[in-house]
Amino acid sequence: MKPLTEQGFAADLHRALAQPTRSISPKYFYDELGSALFEQICELPEYYPTRTEFALLRQHGAEMAELIGADAQLIEYGAGALGKVRLLLAHVERPQSFVPIDISGPHLLQACAALQAEHPALKILPVVGDFTHAVALPAAPEPGAGQRVGFFPGSSVGNFTPPQALKFLAMTAEQLRGGGLLIGVDLIKDPALLHAAYNDSQGVTARFNLNLLERARREFGAQFAADGFSHSAFYNAPLRRIEMHLLSMRRQIFSLQGIDYEFDAGETLHTENSYKYSVAGFQALAERAGYRPGPVWTDAQNWFSLHWLQA
Ligand code: AVJ
């Protein structure tokens, strides 16, 4: 029997392809190859969010650790390679435990092993799962001990539509009640900069997008022409989001587990939204979700923000 996540991918892909407007969750980008491609994206000269957020963490990590406090349990949603949390852990006093949640199991466990080598005394409790659902968490610190603090960097919150983001934030506010959430949020900016960040000159983002179909080929023997789809990413200004699509270059059949789906030329499978916010707009959303907005750190160009939200 196949692992649960793969069953989820096949079922969701069938569901997406059967709809008149086709869209699928971007969480399916992150198999092993996809996770590695995403790390390459983070190094691209055009992809400003990662290095801007790293700089903010490097510059203000001590202030952030002050808000996190001593003996805290740190929970990271969508942990990935654990590069950013290192900059917090360098300052946090006696962390009670670190709970990274990620959908990509082997990738997460490898990253945890590397982090453990650097922090031998740190209690690391990895959770392999989909953080968009309320996964079971290890027990919170005893009352009177440290607080529970969430860490959600990278502007992954931008993958949600605003109503989904509201729901996710409300769920985390419940999980973190009495503590806080440190969350990275990409800001509205010159559409040309946004366009370049999702249409890099080396084509890494294109490979990342197309990997979704390649993953279906690897895992379920999906049949389609290798050159039948191309990467499409553009800024939808009225909706304040980057949209990524897999664009069918001609009329063709995509065959999945014995079912044929037809694509016309120009038809797409919508693979990702990446919403951009203003600082005030995001704070208003957080407030509606049950948080009290606290300090915000931004870079000099106002490209990216990190928010402290009191739960
Ligand atoms: C990980 C969701 C924050 O939206 O910028 C990067 C993913 N997609 N390039 C983003 C992504 C294409 C990224 N997030």
Side-chain angles (χ1 to χ4, degrees):
M1 193 177 142
K2 295 206 156 165
L4 266 175
T5 52
E6 293 185 4
Q7 274 191 355
F9 179 34
D12 277 356
L13 190 53
H14 277 293
R15 223 169 285 137
L17 293 171
Q19 290 165 353
T21 300
R22 292 162 164 165
S23 81
I24 189 159
S25 167
K27 72 185 176 193
Y28 295 119
F29 284 142
Y30 300 93
D31 67 345
E32 275 196 78
L33 179 56
S35 296
L37 285 168
F38 179 66
E39 273 164 46
Q40 282 185 43
I41 287 175
C42 292
E43 308 276 310
L44 292 169
E46 297 97 333
Y47 194 72
Y48 62 86
T50 309
R51 67 184 131 81
T52 309
E53 189 177 41
F54 262 110
L56 290 173
L57 288 165
R58 232 173 264 123
Q59 231 182 319
H60 305 287
E63 289 163 65
M64 295 167 188
E66 195 73 26
L67 288 160
I68 291 167
D71 304 300
Q73 180 181 62
L74 257 186
I75 297 173
E76 182 166 357
Y77 300 98
L82 304 179
K84 290 165 188 166
V85 80
R86 282 174 162 83
L87 297 177
L88 288 180
L89 287 170
H91 299 283
V92 174
E93 215 178 312
R94 292 188 312 271
Q96 185 253 19
S97 57
F98 172 53
V99 183
I101 309 171
D102 203 279
I103 197 168
S104 184
H107 200 76
L108 175 65
L109 299 181
Q110 208 182 321
C112 286
L115 183 69
Q116 189 74 81
E118 290 165 38
H119 294 266
L122 181 64
K123 200 201 287 177
I124 305 177
L125 307 168
V127 175
V128 177
D130 176 0
F131 67 78
T132 61
H133 301 295
V135 294
L137 293 176
E142 295 295 318
Q147 50 183 4
R148 212 182 216 181
V149 172
F151 184 45
F152 193 31
S155 199
S156 292
V157 72
N159 274 168
F160 297 123
T161 63
Q164 289 169 338
L166 183 67
K167 212 175 132 206
F168 172 76
L169 289 170
M171 187 264 292
T172 59
E174 277 317 307
Q175 284 180 343
L176 303 171
R177 195 58 75 202
L181 175 68
L182 183 65
I183 182 169
V185 182
D186 199 10
L187 298 175
I188 296 164
K189 62 180 62 60
D190 180 350
L193 290 170
L194 289 171
H195 187 90
Y198 295 83
N199 290 278
D200 66 275
S201 58
Q202 294 170 54
V204 182
T205 308
R207 286 204 289 285
F208 175 70
N209 195 8
L210 287 159
N211 176 55
L212 191 117
L213 297 181
E214 294 300 338
R215 180 182 174 184
R217 192 206 299 281
R218 285 193 295 273
E219 294 184 7
F220 323 118
Q223 291 176 340
F224 58 95
D227 61 351
F229 291 88
S230 72
H231 169 66
S232 167
F234 54 88
Y235 186 56
N236 182 332
L239 293 180
R240 296 174 175 187
R241 69 188 196 194
I242 288 281
E243 293 184 20
M244 292 214 314
H245 296 256
L246 291 160
L247 173 64
S248 179
M249 301 309 284
R250 52 176 183 267
R251 189 186 167 90
Q252 63 180 308
I253 299 296
F254 183 96
S255 182
L256 181 65
Q257 297 174 318
I259 302 176
D260 285 354
Y261 298 98
E262 197 180 298
F263 277 86
D264 275 336
E267 261 197 284
T268 76
L269 173 62
H270 186 175
T271 48
E272 185 173 49
N273 289 320
S274 187
Y275 279 83
K276 311 303 169 188
Y277 289 90
S278 66
V279 166
F282 188 75
Q283 287 180 319
L285 185 72
E287 215 161 0
R288 282 172 58 211
Y291 283 105
R292 199 152 42 78
V296 183
W297 299 269
T298 61
D299 57 294
Q301 320 224 53
N302 255 294
W303 281 355
F304 201 87
S305 60
L306 269 161
H307 296 241
W308 176 259
L309 304 173
Q310 199 76 46

